[in-house]
Amino acid sequence: MEYKQLDDYSKGFLDSILIKIPEYKQYVKFKKYSDERDETYVYINIPCPSDAGINLWISTYGDETTVGFDYFHCHFGYRDSHEDDYDEVIKMIKEIINEGIINITGTREGNLAFSCFIKPEEIASMEIDYDNYDAISIKSWKGTFNEIIKGSTD
């Protein structure tokens, strides 16, 4: 699969991210949606430098981009222009890798109960009903804020 098989949205996103973060070129893959569909999409999987055992991933689908880190993912594709979408995606990626936002996750009976991004300075003021969850953990890109708040991550 090749670049030329991408739709215009995916080509535009890939061009934009590689201009702004060229080192991600080594992680770019082109994938086919399924055997029934010929469309191709961009998938970028960047290894996390911390020992958190998670990656940052980015994918395109139609006129949408998804960014995921740990259990949380976010969809983009609703701005006035594709370029605005691309800028928002790249802004979020940079916030993740600069640890401007981090992920907090809670599980109940071994199942995901919640996951969201927060700013590191919001950790101290989080209002969580700890009795409602078996485990709560924080993960950040570089590992600076990694913490098991409650329970086990196993």
Side-chain angles (χ1 to χ4, degrees):
M1 285 179 267
E2 302 176 25
Y3 175 86
K4 66 182 177 181
Q5 293 175 294
L6 297 172
D7 61 28
D8 289 342
Y9 183 91
S10 295
K11 284 179 184 174
F13 171 72
L14 185 58
D15 293 345
S16 183
I17 196 168
L18 292 181
I19 287 169
K20 294 177 180 163
I21 314 175
E23 60 271 22
Y24 285 2
K25 183 176 183 178
Q26 64 183 316
Y27 304 115
V28 172
K29 293 192 180 342
F30 303 111
K31 293 190 170 191
K32 192 174 171 186
Y33 287 116
S34 68
D35 289 335
E36 295 82 39
R37 297 173 59 188
D38 280 340
E39 294 104 337
T40 301
Y41 67 97
V42 173
Y43 183 77
I44 305 171
N45 190 18
I46 302 106
C48 187
S50 77
D51 62 356
I54 52 178
N55 292 343
L56 170 66
W57 59 269
I58 307 131
S59 68
T60 59
Y61 178 84
D63 286 353
E64 182 178 279
T65 302
T66 305
V67 176
F69 178 67
D70 196 23
Y71 287 100
F72 188 77
H73 69 276
C74 189
H75 299 272
F76 298 85
Y78 311 102
R79 302 275 178 209
D80 290 337
S81 72
H82 292 329
E83 290 74 21
D84 290 344
D85 288 339
Y86 308 151
D87 290 344
E88 284 298 309
V89 169
I90 292 166
K91 178 181 173 189
M92 176 175 253
I93 291 166
K94 288 183 177 184
E95 283 183 300
I96 293 168
I97 64 175
N98 292 322
E99 294 191 327
I101 56 176
I102 58 180
N103 181 257
I104 181 166
T105 299
T107 60
R108 189 179 305 116
E109 297 176 6
N111 297 309
L112 178 66
F114 79 90
S115 185
C116 65
F117 282 134
I118 62 170
K119 295 178 185 273
E121 59 270 18
E122 296 172 342
I123 295 171
S125 63
M126 289 184 308
E127 293 186 23
I128 298 174
D129 181 359
Y130 291 95
D131 293 335
N132 226 0
Y133 305 100
D134 302 326
I136 301 171
S137 64
I138 295 174
K139 293 185 183 164
S140 65
W141 182 248
K142 298 173 189 171
T144 306
F145 301 98
N146 289 3
E147 179 181 0
I148 297 173
I149 296 175
K150 178 182 178 185
S152 171
T153 57
D154 296 337

